[in-house]
Amino acid sequence: MSVRKICVYPDPALREPTKEIDSFDDELGMLVCDMWETMYASDGIGLAGPQVGVAKKLAVIDYNGEKYVLINPVISEKDNFKIVEEGCISFPGIYEKVESPEHIKVSYCNEKGELIEKEIDGFLACVFSHEIDHLNGKLLIDRISPLKRQFLKKKLAKKAKEK
Ligand code: CO
């Protein structure tokens, strides 16, 4: 197992189109292990493939001790939108209030390749939606107002210079 390097915005890897996963083999198992390690090392509750430079439809979530491995996830319904505060490992130290669904219908495969379909309520639905957005190249910064976005871009550019 190893902790992988996190792609921080504006890393182009975060916008890379992702491919479906079709083999549920040892290689996938190892990738999933690395994703857990990397997520815990960053104190996150979710991590998607593109955030570690892997352009595949894969994400992991650990919310209140409930663990989910999402492979090829698809959301068929989103509703009950609320304003919630979200963070993202690819935007270290940034928290933004964004509109997010507190109810979703989702289908995905687990790491054994079993198809799972469920309805999720509450903040966990927001977490699922956030991670699945990553697989479609959609980021936290895309979900805030244009004015806030401009401000955040400047802030991040300044932060990058300081390093
Ligand atoms: Co994120």
Side-chain angles (χ1 to χ4, degrees):
M1 281 202 276
S2 60
V3 172
R4 303 209 179 188
K5 190 181 159 280
I6 296 286
C7 299
V8 169
Y9 181 86
D11 192 320
L14 295 169
R15 302 290 194 188
E16 186 107 346
T18 54
K19 287 204 178 85
E20 291 237 337
I21 290 172
D22 48 21
S23 47
F24 294 83
D25 52 11
D26 288 351
E27 203 185 315
L28 178 66
M30 260 151 28
L31 175 58
V32 170
C33 282
D34 284 1
M35 299 271 296
W36 286 126
E37 285 279 289
T38 308
M39 190 191 83
Y40 291 127
S42 309
D43 258 334
I45 55 173
L47 181 72
Q51 294 182 277
V52 289
V54 175
K56 290 182 181 171
K57 296 198 184 298
L58 164 70
V60 295
I61 292 169
D62 181 340
Y63 182 61
N64 286 343
E66 293 280 337
K67 292 178 169 201
Y68 306 89
V69 176
L70 313 184
I71 296 164
N72 307 330
V74 177
I75 291 181
S76 58
E77 264 182 58
K78 285 188 191 189
D79 46 61
N80 198 12
F81 282 85
K82 298 274 167 63
I83 303 292
V84 298
E85 194 174 67
E86 291 185 20
C88 179
I89 293 173
S90 294
F91 294 84
I94 305 292
Y95 295 90
E96 293 288 341
K97 288 200 168 86
V98 288
E99 215 176 47
S100 196
E102 286 201 335
H103 176 258
I104 61 162
K105 266 189 191 171
V106 64
S107 61
Y108 59 92
C109 287
N110 64 15
E111 54 186 317
K112 292 178 208 153
E114 297 160 343
L115 182 68
I116 294 164
E117 290 178 277
K118 54 166 96 205
E119 288 189 48
I120 300 174
D121 288 297
F123 189 66
L124 181 60
C126 306
V127 179
F128 266 65
S129 177
H130 178 115
E131 297 314 324
I132 294 167
D133 273 353
H134 272 296
L135 306 181
N136 299 310
K138 192 176 176 190
L139 303 171
L140 187 56
I141 197 165
D142 306 328
R143 297 162 58 207
I144 58 180
S145 72
L147 197 68
K148 269 189 163 178
R149 190 177 306 135
Q150 223 178 4
F151 177 77
L152 184 57
K153 275 185 179 171
K154 273 187 199 159
K155 189 170 157 184
L156 292 171
K158 206 179 149 201
K159 231 177 148 180
K161 260 192 197 167
E162 281 166 4
K163 275 186 186 158

